[in-house]
Amino acid sequence: MAAPNVVNVSSILGKTSVLSATTTPTDVVSNASSSDKLLKVNLLVVSNIDGGAAADVSASLCRSSTEYYFARTISVPADASIDLLPGTLYLEEGDSIRITAGADGDLQVVASYEEIDDA
């Protein structure tokens, strides 16, 4: 099914997703291929919890098994946070946002999004 018409929806649910990033690309927000929903991602913040060293992060929109990077090998200073998404990103059915860290255990990710449904 196509994404819902955002003018005529039955529900909009606020959601938050968290992730401890690793060197393996991992979904932080995912919209199932048969969800009949649209996800509106409003916030994507990554924090470096390592007190001594910077760590790299990459973020991509994954569609049809292809990754489209909107942040690639961005350095996050020690004990700092950065906003990887200065605008809005819509996830259609089958889309996900995938995060990859340069080192395991250094980065935490928080994503805030809305689940839009017309059912």
Side-chain angles (χ1 to χ4, degrees), residues 46 54-59 70-77 82-84 100 102 107:
V46 60
D56 290 342
V57 65
S58 294
F70 54 88
R72 183 77 170 159
T73 318
I74 305 293
S75 182
V76 183
I82 61 171
D83 184 357
L84 293 179
T100 308
L107 302 176

Side-chain angles (χ1 to χ4, degrees), residues 56-110:
D56 290 342
V57 65
S58 294
S60 64
L61 169 68
C62 187
R63 178 174 285 166
S64 301
S65 300
T66 302
E67 293 191 53
Y68 300 93
Y69 288 91
F70 54 88
R72 183 77 170 159
T73 318
I74 305 293
S75 182
V76 183
D79 288 333
S81 299
I82 61 171
D83 184 357
L84 293 179
L85 191 65
T88 299
L89 185 67
Y90 288 97
L91 298 184
E92 298 175 25
E93 292 175 313
D95 290 351
S96 63
I97 294 178
R98 192 167 285 172
I99 303 293
T100 308
D104 288 342
D106 289 350
L107 302 176
Q108 293 181 339
V109 183
V110 176

Side-chain angles (χ1 to χ4, degrees), residues 1-6 8-9 31-39 91-94 116-119:
M1 174 179 192
N5 179 342
V6 296
N8 187 25
V9 300
N31 191 3
S33 59
S34 60
S35 71
D36 292 336
K37 296 177 182 172
L38 178 69
L39 303 184
L91 298 184
E92 298 175 25
E93 292 175 313
I116 301 168
D117 194 352
D118 65 356

